[in-house]
Amino acid sequence: MRDTPNQAGGGRNRAALVAKARASIEEGSKSFAAASMLFDKRTRERVWLLYAWCRRCDDIADAQDMGGELGDQSNPEDRLKSIRVLTDRAFEGLPTADVAFDAFGLVAKECGLTREMADDVIAGFALDAKDWRPRGEGDLLQYCYHVAGAVGVMMAVVMGIAPDDEDTLDRACDLGLAFQLANIARDITEDDAADRCYLPVEWLVEEDIEPGQHTKPHHRQELADMAAKLVTLMEGHSQASKLGAAKLPFHSRWAILSAARIYTAIGHEVRRLGPAAWDHRVYISKAAKLRHVSAAFIEALANNPRQPDEMPRWSRRELAASTT
């Protein structure tokens, strides 16, 4: 029997992988898809390739399609094992029979992404697989690190940041944390419908909320108060992230600052709406997105980020400690 040759991308044509990855991001994240068009061509393609893997892992972990309705949640460990096996094959340059994992193998080879980086992301899916809930703020941020901060680190490397540039990778992690905190604030009721809660137990106790009752109508003000705490955390990490964005080439800096403005706007809108934030899903209009992109262009040109009065409390090294 002939051995299967090791080739980045599992032997698939690069252009075909890029096309599939582009379709994935356009369906899975319209905001990030729009921001990605600001990258130079090679960086844009690599961002798409990495996104396709992240999206596919998320779908496998939740038994869903492109972030849609959750499927059968039985046997989560089997789904987690599939993610690990396919990712290992992608690193080895072996065919995976899954376009997204072949795409990841290609971008990992091109940019020097490591197994450790991938393992940090997969650890987030492992937390969900065991129905993990955060007890305190540190636990919340540690979860955000694994599902988004670690992705930010990989994205920075894809954009050309050296894997040993720890300071810049720390700031890329901050941006991922900010994105996830905004998502959690917006999606509290959706997560509850899926029997998930990312609000720290200590916060719920402080608000005197009975277990499993935080989305009930009579707790809407308390929910708004906790969402505001999430948004405050988001703002700190978002501001710190701009110090790292300053080291990126102009087009990458513009794209990242645009995405940061759009995602933080989601958090700000949740806070503004208060108890009404979950009557309808918060979104940012196309016109507003264009305004954020325009403002980010000016910010990227000036490239003079303000040093935060206080850096975020939690460092990447603390958050990267294993929780599994």
Side-chain angles (χ1 to χ4, degrees):
M1 178 179 279
R2 187 174 63 183
D3 290 337
T4 302
N6 295 59
Q7 303 177 66
R12 292 184 192 258
N13 176 270
R14 188 182 192 280
L17 288 174
V18 168
K20 290 287 188 180
R22 178 177 184 174
S24 174
I25 195 171
E26 287 178 346
E27 184 175 354
S29 178
K30 291 180 173 57
S31 293
F32 196 36
S36 74
M37 298 307 294
L38 304 177
F39 291 113
D40 65 85
K41 182 176 183 293
R42 179 51 63 95
T43 302
R44 179 167 62 246
E45 291 177 350
R46 288 172 168 173
V47 165
W48 290 344
L49 292 168
L50 178 55
Y51 175 89
W53 174 75
C54 296
R55 176 72 270 163
R56 182 66 177 131
C57 287
D58 199 26
D59 283 347
I60 292 174
D62 287 340
Q64 60 185 170
D65 181 34
M66 297 303 294
E69 185 177 346
L70 294 180
D72 182 1
Q73 294 300 294
S74 61
N75 303 316
E77 288 299 331
D78 290 344
R79 296 195 298 277
L80 187 61
K81 182 178 179 180
S82 295
I83 292 172
R84 286 177 170 144
V85 169
L86 291 171
T87 300
D88 284 343
R89 286 185 65 86
F91 271 115
E92 292 166 9
L94 296 172
T96 68
D98 190 305
V99 172
F101 285 89
D102 290 336
F104 178 71
L106 178 62
V107 73
K109 180 69 173 178
E110 289 184 356
C111 301
L113 302 178
T114 67
R115 289 175 185 264
E116 182 181 10
M117 292 175 185
D119 286 343
D120 272 354
V121 176
I122 295 172
F125 301 120
L127 291 174
D128 277 332
K130 65 180 184 181
D131 196 29
W132 175 89
R133 305 288 170 94
R135 178 160 188 81
E137 183 180 301
D139 295 331
L140 165 66
L141 270 295
Q142 196 164 50
Y143 175 79
C144 291
Y145 167 74
H146 285 297
V147 300
V151 175
V153 170
M154 297 174 84
M155 284 290 181
V157 174
V158 164
M159 292 175 207
I161 299 300
D164 60 354
D165 185 347
E166 296 293 335
D167 288 343
T168 304
L169 296 184
D170 285 348
R171 304 289 73 82
C173 172
D174 280 321
L175 186 59
L177 297 177
F179 285 2
Q180 188 61 24
L181 288 163
N183 284 338
I184 290 174
R186 178 191 61 190
D187 297 339
I188 289 174
T189 55
E190 291 181 27
D191 288 333
D192 181 63
D195 196 28
R196 290 179 177 174
C197 179
Y198 301 112
L199 297 169
V201 172
E202 291 176 358
W203 290 11
L204 296 168
V205 171
E206 289 171 2
E207 295 287 352
D208 197 25
I209 296 176
E210 309 88 342
Q213 301 297 302
H214 60 283
T215 61
K216 299 301 182 185
H218 62 283
H219 283 311
R220 273 300 176 94
Q221 184 57 58
E222 292 92 334
L223 200 62
D225 292 343
M226 289 184 287
K229 291 172 103 174
L230 291 170
V231 174
T232 297
L233 286 172
M234 175 204 76
E235 290 172 327
H237 287 285
S238 179
Q239 187 62 40
S241 76
K242 294 182 179 184
L243 301 178
K247 298 183 180 181
L248 294 171
F250 173 75
H251 281 281
S252 293
R253 184 165 65 250
W254 182 17
I256 289 304
L257 291 174
S258 295
R261 283 178 171 271
I262 291 168
Y263 272 88
T264 54
I266 291 172
H268 291 151
E269 182 66 2
V270 169
R271 184 169 61 189
R272 186 189 71 80
L273 289 171
W278 304 277
D279 291 349
H280 304 283
R281 196 170 199 263
V282 170
Y283 72 97
I284 303 302
S285 70
K286 289 184 179 180
K289 287 177 182 177
L290 287 174
R291 289 195 295 272
H292 288 303
V293 170
S294 298
F297 177 79
I298 302 301
E299 188 177 4
L301 276 179
N303 199 24
N304 186 31
R306 179 179 65 81
Q307 178 71 32
D309 295 333
E310 185 177 355
M311 292 297 286
R313 172 184 176 187
W314 303 98
S315 72
R316 178 165 64 101
R317 291 162 190 80
E318 291 173 309
L319 299 178
S322 176
T323 58
T324 58

